[in-house]
């Protein structure tokens, strides 16, 4: 039943009539009226208590962050491997070295993970927007082959020019491929799974035809960039790992701090409501496929430069590892959920599981079985954790709200 | 002898009570009307009887025996079938397959097509329908789809058939055919429960009438005892005193929105009106009268096929929601979960979705500015949820406030509200009403769509009544009564041109 509205109304009016006019709702005006907020005693109390406990708040942020689960798994697996791997005597230095926890293995793992992780960030953005991109492996191959062939055609140049032309070609090809995916997804009304499955074969086919299935060497200028030691000892190549971290950081900032990143979450969560809010859903979709293509281009540039050649069979089957990395990182295939850092961690986890098989001298034939099982397990655990968190949040008491109605309605 | 008795049926939905302690009996072999306003709980009652929803409390007795249905198959096995308002079919399958679904004749796991066909022809012939069983369900007209549903119900030897607003999408001829079929079914001893709010049909078909209002049972009487006026009186009750409008919009502020001859395919035509600053213009009509379609068309979601629109005195071509937002038009859609909110996002993020560029520089969100705006909005709307709460977990009232917040942040000149208080608890409803008043008193032009007549009458400066996609009449605030509006909406009172 309705409570007596006469009681409710004055209370509402007290609240409503506080700011001078409704026009103050314009964002700029609100900032100007921000001092009004300080009139509320309960509000001040809550902010004071939170500020006095910065440590607790920071701890809460870490515990509540999306990455906590996967970080825990990575650490647990790392510790277990360190103990189980055993050690050997290093030939050069004569010191005992752990078979897993040594700088060479770790950097090697990082290098292996870098291509999955870089493309995984792109894939995560597509998946958050409610799409899927199966063509990243093929884009990688075409961009790599295209770059190598263009550089071979152009002929010898200075190292800076070679790297610039190479990078521009590689990223350009990848961007065009990504845009092509995007235009087809929004223009043809075909499910992105089908569109990118198609382009996956088409693009790899183009790479195959133009390169005559040959391996094309890339100039050494590129290799010296990708294998730059940056002051580290011989046989340590940190560039792929650094690029991976950089891409993860850029992806994370893009998703959390930019307008278009926010829109990606919105159209993935509810395209209809996004349209009703005046968002240009198609343009955002186009953008995410372009980003995904571009991420494949970055990975291709690094990969072809690092290994010194490109062929049409490069990155064959990587698309599935990439999607697995995104999903292990907590991205939801129905859209609206995911994180760039988590996808990077997901890629590292997958590579670490592969590494575990080698370090522990398990039968390599079981690699697929183990990775497949781990993928399913990771997602099940993630979903269980999400449900648990949701239940805990539902059980928690509602946040304090300044409720002027109770005090006001008592005034006759 | 009662074929069906409802005993203390209660059904709660999150944030609203659909049915509260409803008890009445349906005589065997009768045609029993269940009527009430939109949202009175009629359809829910039908769905509970047909096993589509479970009551939270109370029980149903069939021929005196208590029954409990977990799904429509249980209900059908007990002899209860429902002909749906939103037709539920596998549209990709054939008529025959749909009719035999659930017990497809098969041998070694293979469907026996000739058996399906024979059985479907039999079932359809039993109600005098001739539809080719091989046709795909999606290609049938609504009337034909209804016939298939009825054939299925009769074929399953249903003793009770629930019709839920069966004529809402039928033409006159098809409706006539349906009425005679209902007569035939009744003659065979089938008990009919006829859910509708159309006076003419109820009086023509039904022997007894049950009236529901706000989920409560109001009366069950023989049809002869209730004339139209008495029935309307029972349906609307006396609820006007619940609302105390504080602000009555001026009719002649400056012109904000003008539409002329607006039309969109088959949903509405010839819609013309002017909306002024500070005014609340109500749109009244039954479901399907074209109210929401007009709103969506003005907001650029389903652009009109004909007609002209002026915003603030200038011709406007609104081809997308983005165009509308840029013209400072806001829209609170009728389905907040599907159209209004991204449930997976946080409440704060939802509330700034249409206005995000205002808090950004070069595409970079100024978080501090955004948070201060969100804080301010939440305090003004007295939100009882944190800005970082996930929107999907909120109550209906709080979710609706978030949808409102989106457009408050946008500082709209024109705000279109489609059922802004549907499924919202009473407290939040009062707050939302106060907001609508507040908005109008500060010069916002409001177009209000509501199925709740008291809400519409008390908030609106003027009310446009629509029926079947046409404007029927404009009623001024002073002349608006629930009785009068309902008569215009249902067609009891003929249209007049102003």
């Amino acid at each position: 039943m309705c409570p007596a509205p006469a009681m409710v109304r004055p209370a509402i009016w007290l609240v409503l009539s506080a700011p001078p006019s409704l026009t103050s709702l314009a964002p700029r005006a609100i900032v100007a009226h921000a001092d009004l907020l300080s009139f509320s005693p309960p509000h001040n109390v809550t902010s004071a208590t939170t500020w006095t406990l910065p440590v607790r708040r920071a701890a809460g942020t870490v515990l509540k962050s999306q990455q906590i689960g996967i970080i825990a798994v990575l650490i647990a697996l790392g510790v277990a491997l360190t103990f189980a791997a055993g050690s050997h005597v290093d030939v050069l230095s004569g010191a005992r070295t752990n078979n897993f926890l040594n700088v060479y293995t770790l950097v090697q793992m990082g290098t292996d993970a870098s291509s999955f992780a870089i493309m995984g960030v792109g894939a995560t953005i597509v998946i958050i927007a409610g799409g899927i991109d199966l063509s990243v492996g093929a884009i990688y191959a075409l961009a790599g082959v295209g770059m190598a062939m263009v550089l071979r055609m152009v002929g010898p140049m200075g190292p800076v020019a070679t790297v610039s032309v190479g990078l521009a070609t590689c990223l350009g090809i990848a961007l065009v491929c990504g845009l092509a995916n995007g235009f087809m997804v929004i223009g043809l009304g075909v499910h992105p799974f089908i569109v990118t499955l198609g382009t996956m074969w088409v693009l790899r086919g183009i790479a195959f035809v133009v390169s005559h299935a040959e391996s094309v060497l890339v100039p050494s200028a590129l290799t010296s960039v990708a294998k730059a030691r940056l002051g580290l000892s011989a046989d340590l190549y940190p560039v792929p790992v650094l690029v991976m971290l950089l891409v993860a950081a850029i992806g994370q900032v893009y998703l959390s701090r930019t307008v278009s990143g926010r829109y990606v979450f919105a159209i993935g969560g509810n395209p209809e409501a996004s349209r009703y809010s005046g968002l240009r859903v198609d343009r955002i979709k186009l953008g995410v496929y372009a980003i995904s293509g571009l991420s494949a281009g970055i990975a291709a540039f690094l990969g072809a430069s690092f290994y010194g050649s490109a062929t049409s069979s490069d990155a064959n089957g990587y698309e599935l590892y990439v999607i697995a990395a995104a999903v292990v990182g907590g991205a939801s295939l129905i859209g609206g959920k995911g994180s760039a850092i988590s996808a990077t961690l997901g890629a590292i986890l997958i590579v670490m599981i592969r590494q575990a098989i080698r370090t522990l001298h398990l039968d390599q034939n079981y690699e697929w079985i183990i990775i497949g099982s781990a993928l399913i397990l990771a997602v099940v655990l993630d979903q269980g954790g999400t449900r648990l968190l949701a239940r805990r949040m539902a059980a928690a008491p509602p946040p304090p709200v300044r409720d002027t109605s109770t005090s006001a309605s008592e005034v006759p | 002898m009662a074929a069906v008795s409802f005993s203390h049926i209660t059904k709660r939905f999150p944030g609203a009570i659909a049915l509260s302690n409803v008890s009445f009996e349906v005589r065997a072999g009768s045609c029993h009307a269940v009527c009430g306003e939109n949202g009175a709980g009629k359809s829910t009652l039908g769905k509970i009887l047909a096993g589509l929803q479970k009551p939270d409390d109370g029980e149903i007795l069939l021929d005196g025996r208590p029954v409990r249905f977990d799904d429509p198959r249980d209900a059908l096995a007990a002899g209860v079938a429902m002909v749906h308002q939103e037709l539920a079919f596998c549209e990709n399958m054939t008529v025959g397959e749909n009719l035999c679904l659930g017990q497809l004749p098969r041998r070694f796991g293979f469907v026996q097509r000739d058996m399906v066909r024979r059985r479907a022809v039999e079932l359809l012939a039993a109600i005098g329908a001739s539809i080719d069983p091989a046709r795909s369900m999606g290609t049938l007209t609504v009337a034909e789809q209804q016939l298939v549903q009825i054939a299925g119900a009769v074929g399953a030897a249903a003793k009770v058939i629930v019709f839920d607003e069966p004529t809402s999408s039928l033409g006159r001829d098809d409706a006539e055919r349906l009425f005679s079929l209902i007569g035939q079914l009744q003659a065979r001893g089938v008990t009919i429960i006829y859910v509708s709010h159309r006076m003419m049909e109820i009086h023509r078909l039904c022997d007894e009438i049950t009236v529901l209002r706000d989920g409560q049972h109001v009366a069950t009487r023989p049809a002869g005892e209730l004339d139209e006026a008495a029935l309307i009186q029972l349906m609307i009750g006396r609820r006007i005193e619940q609302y105390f409008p504080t602000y009555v919009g001026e009719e002649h502020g400056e012109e904000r929105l003008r539409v002329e001859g607006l039309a969109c395919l088959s949903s509405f035509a010839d819609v013309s009106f002017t909306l002024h600053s500070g005014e609340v213009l109500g749109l009244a009509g039954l479901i399907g009268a074209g109210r929401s379609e007009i709103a969506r068309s003005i907001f650029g979601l389903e652009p009109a096929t004909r007609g002209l629109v002026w915003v603030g005195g200038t011709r406007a071509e609104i081809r997308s929601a983005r165009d509308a937002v840029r013209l400072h038009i806001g829209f609170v859609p009728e389905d907040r979960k599907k159209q209004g909110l991204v449930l997976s996002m946080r409440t704060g993020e939802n509330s700034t979705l249409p206005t995000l560029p205002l808090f950004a520089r070069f595409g970079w969100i100024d978080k501090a500015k955004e948070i201060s705006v969100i804080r301010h909005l939440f305090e003004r709307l007295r939100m009882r949820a944190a800005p970082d709460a996930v929107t999907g977990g909120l109550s209906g009232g709080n979710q609706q406030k978030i949808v409102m917040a989106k457009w408050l942040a946008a500082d709209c000149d024109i705000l279109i509200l489609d059922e802004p208080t549907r499924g919202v608890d009473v407290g939040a409803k009062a707050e939302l009403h106060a907001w609508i008043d507040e908005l109008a008193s500060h010069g916002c032009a409001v177009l209000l769509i509501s199925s709740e007549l008291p809400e519409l009458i008390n908030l609106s400066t003027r009310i446009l009544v629509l029926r079947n996609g046409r404007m029927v009449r404009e009623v001024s605030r002073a002349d608006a009564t629930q009785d009068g509006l309902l008569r215009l909406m249902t067609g009891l009172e003929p249209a007049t041109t102003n």
Side-chain angles (χ1 to χ4, degrees):
Chain A
M1 284 309 290
C2 235
M7 299 282 283
V8 180
R9 273 294 164 104
I12 295 161
W13 278 102
L14 268 183
V15 178
L16 294 183
S17 51
S21 85
L22 205 73
T23 49
S24 69
L25 276 171
R28 272 166 231 287
I30 289 174
V31 180
H33 291 296
D35 57 330
L36 280 168
L37 302 184
S38 59
F39 277 96
S40 138
H43 180 77
N44 281 349
V45 171
T46 42
S47 55
T49 43
T50 36
W51 280 115
T52 51
L53 295 166
V55 179
R56 204 171 140 183
R57 205 169 75 154
T61 313
V62 172
L63 281 174
K64 264 192 269 176
S65 78
Q66 287 178 309
Q67 286 84 28
I68 185 71
I70 193 163
I71 289 174
V73 170
L74 280 172
I75 291 174
L77 188 57
V79 169
L81 277 177
T82 306
F83 281 108
S87 56
H88 65 274
V89 177
D90 193 75
V91 193
L92 293 175
S93 63
R96 281 205 82 75
T97 314
N98 187 286
N99 285 341
F100 173 76
L101 194 68
N102 63 72
V103 71
Y104 295 97
T105 308
L106 294 182
V107 170
Q108 184 55 48
M109 265 171 50
T111 309
D112 287 350
S114 65
S115 60
F116 299 150
I118 291 165
M119 290 192 278
V121 170
T124 296
I125 293 170
V126 173
I127 289 171
I128 293 171
I132 190 98
D133 188 352
L134 292 172
S135 67
V136 284
I139 295 178
Y140 181 115
L142 182 58
V145 165
M147 171 181 76
M149 292 184 70
V150 165
L151 288 176
R152 190 170 66 181
M153 242 163 46
V154 174
M157 291 181 293
V160 176
T162 308
V163 171
S164 315
V165 170
L167 190 60
T169 317
C170 195
L171 297 188
I173 292 170
L175 185 63
V176 168
C177 294
L179 286 171
N181 277 334
F183 275 117
M184 278 193 273
V185 167
I186 61 178
L188 301 180
V190 177
H191 194 281
F193 187 98
I194 307 297
V195 168
T196 57
L197 183 66
T199 53
M200 173 180 103
W201 283 319
V202 169
L203 297 175
R204 195 173 288 282
I206 295 173
F208 186 85
V209 169
V210 297
S211 68
H212 305 291
E214 285 166 7
S215 179
V216 189
L217 294 178
V218 300
S220 58
L222 297 186
T223 311
S224 60
V225 169
K227 286 196 161 176
R229 292 199 184 110
L230 303 180
L232 293 179
S233 69
D235 304 332
L236 277 182
Y237 307 114
V239 170
V241 177
L242 293 177
V243 174
M244 168 176 86
L245 296 178
L246 186 68
V247 168
I250 293 173
Q252 192 69 17
V253 167
Y254 170 78
L255 285 173
S256 62
R257 299 307 294 266
T258 68
V259 173
S260 81
R262 178 79 60 82
Y263 286 171
V264 168
F265 280 99
I267 69 161
N270 188 344
E272 185 79 348
S274 302
R275 194 166 70 101
Y276 274 66
S277 299
L279 271 54
R280 281 178 288 191
V281 175
D282 280 351
R283 187 186 279 205
I284 301 161
K285 273 190 192 166
L286 183 64
V288 298
Y289 288 99
I291 289 173
S292 178
L294 208 53
S295 73
I298 296 170
F301 178 80
L302 265 183
S305 305
F306 194 87
Y307 297 110
S309 69
T311 77
S312 61
S313 60
D314 279 345
N316 204 357
Y318 274 29
E319 53 279 343
L320 299 181
Y321 277 109
V322 165
I323 293 166
V327 170
V328 167
S332 160
L333 285 178
I334 51 171
K337 184 170 168 267
S339 140
I341 289 180
S342 298
T344 305
L345 295 173
I348 293 172
L349 181 60
I350 289 173
V351 170
M352 199 152 152
I353 291 169
R354 277 205 329 201
Q355 183 64 41
I357 294 163
R358 272 166 221 155
T359 306
L360 301 177
H361 303 294
L362 299 177
D363 189 338
Q364 296 253 336
N365 296 318
Y366 289 103
E367 181 177 324
W368 302 116
I369 299 173
I370 293 169
I371 290 182
S373 312
L375 170 67
I376 295 173
L377 185 70
V379 174
V380 169
L381 286 178
D382 182 54
Q383 285 179 350
T386 310
R387 236 170 286 150
L388 204 71
L389 194 72
R391 214 173 305 148
R392 226 173 36 197
M393 278 167 72
V401 181
R402 47 189 298 231
D403 194 351
T404 38
S405 75
T406 39
S407 54
S409 54
E410 280 158 18
V411 180
Chain B
M1 175 66 188
V4 183
S5 21
F6 295 96
S7 168
H8 306 289
I9 298 288
T10 298
K11 175 75 187 174
R12 293 177 204 95
F13 289 120
I17 293 181
L19 291 170
S20 161
N21 203 17
V22 170
S23 305
F24 67 94
E25 294 188 340
V26 178
R27 231 171 3 93
S30 69
C31 180
H32 193 112
V34 176
C35 56
E37 285 186 280
N38 295 341
K42 327 178 282 271
S43 293
T44 309
L45 193 71
K47 284 181 184 161
I48 286 175
L49 180 58
L52 286 159
Q53 278 168 358
K54 287 185 211 169
D56 294 317
D57 225 332
E59 64 179 356
I60 293 171
L61 294 106
L62 219 56
D63 292 329
R65 282 191 310 277
V67 288
R68 191 159 186 89
F69 304 139
D70 286 327
D71 58 44
R73 280 178 65 147
D74 284 359
L76 201 58
V80 180
M82 182 166 184
V83 176
H84 293 278
Q85 193 176 348
E86 308 100 5
L87 302 159
F89 277 120
C90 304
E91 293 215 336
N92 53 341
M93 293 170 74
T94 66
V95 172
E97 285 163 342
N98 266 291
L99 274 173
C100 299
L101 213 62
Q103 63 255 4
L104 272 177
R106 68 195 114 187
R107 184 184 288 163
F108 312 123
F110 292 96
V111 174
Q112 293 185 285
R113 289 176 179 242
D114 50 336
M115 285 281 287
V116 170
R117 190 183 172 80
R118 214 176 311 146
R119 181 156 165 72
V121 170
E122 258 170 43
L123 289 173
L124 289 165
I127 60 157
S130 54
I131 300 167
D132 181 0
R135 279 176 69 188
S136 156
M137 206 67 206
T139 64
L140 264 53
T141 66
V142 176
E144 287 171 325
Q145 293 189 352
Q146 240 173 25
L147 286 175
V148 174
Q149 287 197 61
I150 297 168
V154 172
K159 290 173 294 180
V160 179
I161 301 181
V162 183
F163 286 86
D164 187 7
E165 307 267 5
T167 56
S168 58
S169 37
L170 293 189
R172 186 177 288 264
D173 292 349
D174 287 327
E176 283 300 326
R177 243 169 272 142
L178 178 72
F179 297 154
S180 74
L181 182 56
I182 289 175
Q184 289 170 29
L185 291 171
Q186 222 185 327
R188 288 189 211 174
V190 176
T191 307
I192 309 286
I193 296 180
Y194 195 86
V195 176
S196 179
H197 50 204
R198 300 192 177 201
M199 305 294 147
M200 315 263 239
E201 297 171 11
I202 291 170
H203 275 98
R204 181 169 157 185
L205 291 169
C206 302
D207 332 306
E208 281 191 306
I209 301 175
T210 288
V211 181
L212 298 179
R213 189 202 312 146
D214 291 340
Q216 312 232 357
H217 177 250
V218 177
T220 298
R221 307 254 178 88
E225 282 181 21
L226 288 174
D227 62 5
E228 281 155 9
L231 189 52
I232 286 179
Q233 188 60 42
L234 285 176
M235 277 164 66
I236 59 182
R238 295 180 195 282
R239 291 178 300 173
I240 297 177
E241 58 278 8
Q242 285 182 5
Y243 300 87
F244 294 90
T246 44
Y247 170 79
V248 179
E250 310 242 337
E251 198 167 324
H252 297 294
E254 60 179 294
E255 173 189 314
R256 281 283 165 82
L257 175 73
R258 179 152 56 98
V259 302
E260 267 176 29
L262 210 62
C264 186
L265 302 175
S266 58
S267 37
F268 60 88
D270 276 335
V271 172
S272 305
F273 60 84
T274 309
L275 179 61
H276 302 96
S277 156
E279 177 183 48
V280 179
L281 177 61
L283 287 187
L286 299 174
I287 290 168
R291 298 169 303 171
S292 300
E293 289 80 358
I294 292 172
R296 282 203 291 272
S297 157
I298 293 171
F299 198 64
L301 293 159
E302 286 153 28
T305 43
R306 286 173 77 173
L308 301 173
V309 177
W310 284 261
V311 175
T314 349
R315 274 276 289 122
E317 293 275 349
I318 304 175
R319 291 212 187 75
S320 68
R322 186 180 151 80
D323 292 347
V325 172
R326 288 179 138 189
L327 289 165
H328 292 273
I329 304 177
F331 181 39
V332 173
E334 60 181 327
D335 188 335
R336 62 176 160 266
K337 291 194 177 181
K338 282 194 190 136
Q339 302 159 336
L341 294 167
V342 182
L343 295 177
S344 57
M345 287 172 87
R346 298 177 190 285
T347 54
E349 292 170 342
N350 260 302
S351 64
T352 55
L353 197 54
T355 46
L356 201 54
L358 291 175
F359 320 120
R361 188 175 295 170
F362 306 118
W364 195 266
I365 301 169
D366 182 344
K367 284 259 183 184
K369 198 166 168 185
E370 192 197 3
I371 286 167
S372 87
V373 169
I374 291 169
R375 277 238 172 96
H376 198 87
L377 282 172
F378 277 30
E379 280 184 26
R380 290 175 69 93
L381 283 167
R382 306 204 309 142
M383 268 297 300
R384 279 151 205 286
D388 61 350
V390 175
T391 314
L394 265 54
S395 71
N398 277 336
Q399 287 187 350
Q400 192 66 18
K401 283 186 188 176
I402 299 287
V403 185
M404 288 288 276
K406 283 166 68 167
W407 303 110
L408 292 177
D411 193 24
C412 297
D413 292 336
I414 301 164
L415 189 59
I416 305 170
L417 305 171
D418 194 353
E419 303 286 0
T421 63
R422 179 186 282 170
V424 162
D425 62 274
V426 183
K429 202 177 243 184
E431 291 177 55
L432 288 163
H433 287 163
W435 266 105
I436 296 168
D437 275 348
E438 164 81 2
L439 281 162
S441 70
H442 285 97
C444 185
V446 180
L447 187 64
L448 174 68
I449 298 171
S450 176
S451 294
E452 276 192 50
L453 292 180
E455 173 174 290
L456 206 59
I457 291 169
N458 286 287
L459 290 170
S460 308
T461 321
R462 294 176 292 148
I463 297 171
L464 281 180
V465 183
L466 295 158
R467 188 170 71 231
N468 296 330
R470 307 276 165 158
M471 289 183 7
V472 180
R473 193 185 292 176
E474 181 185 311
V475 183
S476 74
R477 178 188 182 81
D479 299 337
T481 60
Q482 292 189 59
D483 187 293
L485 289 177
L486 208 57
R487 284 172 167 274
L488 286 166
M489 283 156 59
T490 52
L492 267 178
E493 195 160 310
T496 50
T497 43
N498 274 33

